[in-house]
Amino acid sequence: MSAQYVCDTGDLEPGEAMRVDIEDADGRPVPVSVVRDNDGQYHAISDTCSHGQVSLSDGEVEDGAIECWLHGSSFDLRTGKPLSLPATQPVPVYPVTVQGDSVLVDVTTTVAATA
């Protein structure tokens, strides 16, 4: 499976995130937070916090990280590693491709070790 269309580049302002469900190779939905950081770069990270099991796309985006709104854990957008407690487990990060005005995400692989 290859990258799938998730949104247009104009759908997110810098510092914004949105949740999308992307089908994996078996047709199951994978919740993904598509993030445009403050520098304008696009990222795709699991939308489920590894600590509180809530949607990360509802959190704040700042300094290359997304913060979980429930307990305040932050995750690095490039690696998925937790940057603050109470989360101790990383979340998956997926490859993003921008083609013209389209943002594409591939959930069949991760871009960083998450262990």
Side-chain angles (χ1 to χ4, degrees):
M1 179 166 280
S2 60
Q4 299 174 56
Y5 170 85
V6 293
C7 66
D8 288 334
T9 55
D11 290 342
L12 289 172
E13 294 295 323
E16 286 187 337
M18 65 186 271
R19 178 192 166 122
V20 296
D21 288 321
I22 304 172
E23 286 188 8
D24 68 10
D26 295 323
R28 294 181 301 243
V30 176
V32 174
S33 181
V34 179
V35 182
R36 187 173 180 192
D37 67 22
N38 292 321
D39 295 329
Q41 299 297 309
Y42 291 88
H43 305 271
I45 189 167
S46 173
D47 191 52
T48 307
C49 176
S50 62
H51 170 260
Q53 302 299 304
V54 297
S55 179
L56 289 176
S57 60
D58 291 332
E60 297 293 321
V61 177
E62 190 172 350
D63 297 329
I66 191 164
E67 181 181 69
C68 177
W69 62 268
L70 185 59
H71 295 117
S73 294
S74 291
F75 296 89
D76 187 293
L77 291 171
R78 291 168 297 283
T79 66
K81 292 183 180 180
L83 301 173
S84 61
L85 295 173
T88 58
Q89 296 299 309
V91 294
V93 174
Y94 306 104
V96 175
T97 305
V98 177
Q99 293 181 345
D101 291 333
S102 298
V103 180
L104 311 168
V105 175
D106 184 352
V107 295
T108 62
T109 186
T110 58
V111 296
T114 56

